[in-house]
Amino acid sequence: PTHTPPRISLGVDAGGGGPVDRGQRMGGEENVPDRFLCPISAEVMVDPHINVVGQNYEKSAITQWYARAKGGQITDPVTNQPLKSDLLIPNHSLRSEISTWKRENAIEAQRKRESKQKNPAGERKARNLAVEKPHRAKALQRKKPVAKHKQPSLLLQSDRELFSKVEDSKRRGIGSIPIDVVFVVDCTRSMSDYIDAAKTQVQSVVEGLKKKFSRALLRIAVIGYRDIEDKRPREILPFTDDLSALQRFLGGLQAKADMRETKTESGETRIAKLDEPEDLTGALHDANCASWRSKRNNVEVTKVAIVIADQPCHGVAFHNYPREEDNHPDGDPRGRDPRQIVKRMRQKNINLHFFRINPQTDKMLELLQTAYRHRQWELHAHNLGDDAKLFAKFCIESISRSISDESVRRLGGSGLGRSAISLLRRKREFLSLVSIPEPSAPNMEESASTPSYGDQDWGNIERADVYTARSGGRSIGEMQVRLKPAPFAKGAMRAAFFMKNEKMCYKFLDMADSKVRALNEPLLVYKTALENGAGHNSKEAVFGDLNCHVRALAMAEEWNKRVALRVDSHLIPIEVNEPIVLYFGGRRDVNRRWVMVERILDHRSFRKFNNNGGTCDLSDEAEAMNCFSHWTWCASGGEYMVLDVQGAMNEPGRMTLTDPQIMHTDRTQYGRGNLGNEGVAAFFAGHECGRLCKLLGLRCPGSMDIKAAERLSKEEGVIKGPESVPVFAKEDLLPKNKDGTMWKPPPAPMAPPKWIPDGDVFRCQIRSECVRNFGAPTSFEGIWPFRPGRHHCRLCGKIACHHCSRSRQKTPWSKGQIVRVCDTCVAAQQGIQEPPFS
């Protein structure tokens, strides 16, 4: 059942028996929907649960009812039907509706209470004025200031609480940028100028990185190398975060070549021949074997190796020198190949940069770049040339680029070569707030290209009901589709299939639904959860994802109007890929019935900019998208934020986002990916405000003052998002009569019944087939008269036997106590028969 049965006991004061305004009983809230009330307590439910016969109750009330069952036989309070099990299932959909209704009505109730408390005499004066001089009353009403919805003190307190969460996230490592950097430096005589530059500019490098990345945690190692035959072929400083130790090491590093003396077979001493190539192969091997960190506080470390050389490595394959000018023309005498070494460095996620000084290294550099290149991995070359003053600038640029590239790779950025675009990183891949996500594209199965509509390997035709964000929880028609037999992409939580739209038959279609482009696309992306269970595959779970798209779409439209067009015309407009929901009712597997379908995006430009675990793309290209997330939090008054921002340039000059996640203060909405303020705190722990954030004047947690709190309390400039997409159609949640028409409550509230005197009847009055007679009055423990098995129904006042009055519930005049009700009144509440007092 999708609704609670109508109750005939509503609208009457529980204390005195007279009529009462339902809004007064609920603290100022008007028109309480019947389905929000517990049949036992007659109060708005906080934690609604469904029992085995499909009735909704407040959990505490129904649990207490079961505990009072006599003889171990539990019954349903409404139907008095014996129950085989006391199983209770949470009704998340109903709880979400109640929460939304409470939030909307609490604002009006608070306004009324504050106005009454502040100036009751003024209210009396206004009422008198409205009677005597109505034109003046209307003028005063127009001048009346807007009531505050939230107290500034509460807003300041919540801002401080969020700031403490951000600081706690930072302490746990969220948003920190641990960096390991190795400088591989040629220390021969020709490199003296560059070594001197390193000595004088190393502090500028560290300070520049700290300025650009305030949460950078830097460790630096230095490998100074010479030739194999040198007396000191290697000078190494292990990883250290001590700047003074680094400066001391560089201060003792000298650019020189001191070749070793060797003895020939005849016993003669000979100094090794000085050649042009150096032992760069051995230095790269030492760099690869350095004590790199993989993680720090569960955060992935950015690894950077910077090679500064003016001569190639040994081996004629790597340079253009004659064989006689290379002491080892066949390559490294230890059998090491620099191409294999750089491949292993790439496999360790080490970002490799080469500072080019002269053309002598070009041949080697080309071979190393070819060996290192793989998908989004590139060996970056920087033309340092003869200007040693550019050393610090190139170092900061190289490390900054590595940080940006690393964040893009972790988030699943462009250049991944994926045909599947929106499934690479699903929002339901919940990650601990303490950790940075694992590298993107786990266990992916790739497809070379988007299939053709005329392919022969499409599956059988299936029929599915179609739902959209604007259809009000009801199907707008039926779609006939075919699926590819195997997924083209598979992540940790979802699998993606290509789907062909064979035919669309509409039951009804309004102008709003006609704008959903996925309804008219011939090829679509079909997404289904890998895990089983209602938390992943139910209608409520899928519509939670749909709600995220609707809220993100509304904020993207506001962003385009207020920021992209007015503040910075160079910003790319944002749109959200609006999905549709399909229901395959004919499938046997209940875990594969509810699915989400979207348009196919251009995988070549797909990129992810942030996620709900605190990871942000720190590149300059991602500044606007991260600013969009920051702006949504400020524009909503701190109520929610759009995260998991990812998408592609599906149309020229327009970014199309897909699979966003809403972080809302109400954790019951927007699916299981809604981490609330925990997710917002993780974002601010990893976000660096750039030029655009400062231009818009966006505030961060902890920066609110009393003036900002007062403005926010009046909701000045706050953007109200759209209403949540209803999971079920409203007409399916309302009670109906036997003929299918809508049930309406009685025109007037009930009054307490007049009890029939005990001595007036001797037989049960509830059912004509009940022939139980009551015994003669007897004395029982000093109480007289006592008639065994004789009871009064607290709703109709009739006398009933024990078997015809087993149900218990609260009545408006029972002062909160659970009392006896006859079976006829229970049946009337269910609409099974007419009330006995009608």
Side-chain angles (χ1 to χ4, degrees), residues 519-574:
L519 294 172
N520 304 315
E521 294 287 334
L523 294 178
L524 299 165
V525 175
Y526 161 103
K527 305 174 183 179
T528 181
L530 296 176
E531 297 185 22
N532 295 332
H536 301 276
N537 305 280
S538 63
K539 184 178 183 181
E540 181 182 4
V542 176
F543 269 66
D545 294 343
L546 188 62
N547 262 321
C548 290
H549 285 78
V550 172
R551 181 63 64 102
L553 176 61
M555 295 305 290
E557 292 174 351
E558 293 294 332
W559 165 272
N560 295 335
K561 295 177 185 177
R562 303 188 181 204
V563 180
L565 295 179
R566 297 183 181 181
V567 178
D568 192 340
S569 59
H570 298 289
L571 290 178
I572 299 175
I574 300 174

Side-chain angles (χ1 to χ4, degrees), residues 421-422 527 548-549 552-553 555-557 559-560 572-579 598-599 601 606-610 624-626 628-629 632 642-651 654-661:
I421 35 85
S422 58
K527 305 174 183 179
C548 290
H549 285 78
L553 176 61
M555 295 305 290
E557 292 174 351
W559 165 272
N560 295 335
I572 299 175
I574 300 174
E575 67 175 15
V576 178
N577 196 14
E578 186 173 352
E598 293 182 359
R599 289 187 301 141
L601 297 185
F606 180 81
R607 187 167 183 174
K608 187 161 186 175
F609 303 98
N610 57 51
M625 294 298 104
N626 287 313
F628 170 69
S629 293
T632 58
V642 179
L643 284 181
D644 263 357
V645 178
Q646 56 191 326
M649 299 291 291
N650 223 40
E651 297 179 2
R654 183 173 290 270
M655 173 64 70
T656 303
L657 302 182
T658 182
D659 290 337
Q661 175 61 59

Side-chain angles (χ1 to χ4, degrees), residues 148 150-156 158-159 633-634 637-638 697-700 702-718:
K148 297 179 180 179
K150 294 182 181 178
Q151 295 294 334
S153 58
L154 297 178
L155 293 173
L156 288 171
S158 61
D159 185 67
W633 181 75
C634 294
L698 303 182
R699 69 175 185 90
C700 294
S703 63
M704 180 183 289
D705 55 13
I706 186 62
K707 291 184 179 179
E710 289 176 352
R711 288 195 302 268
L712 187 59
S713 67
K714 300 176 184 178
E715 298 186 351
E716 294 181 1
V718 176

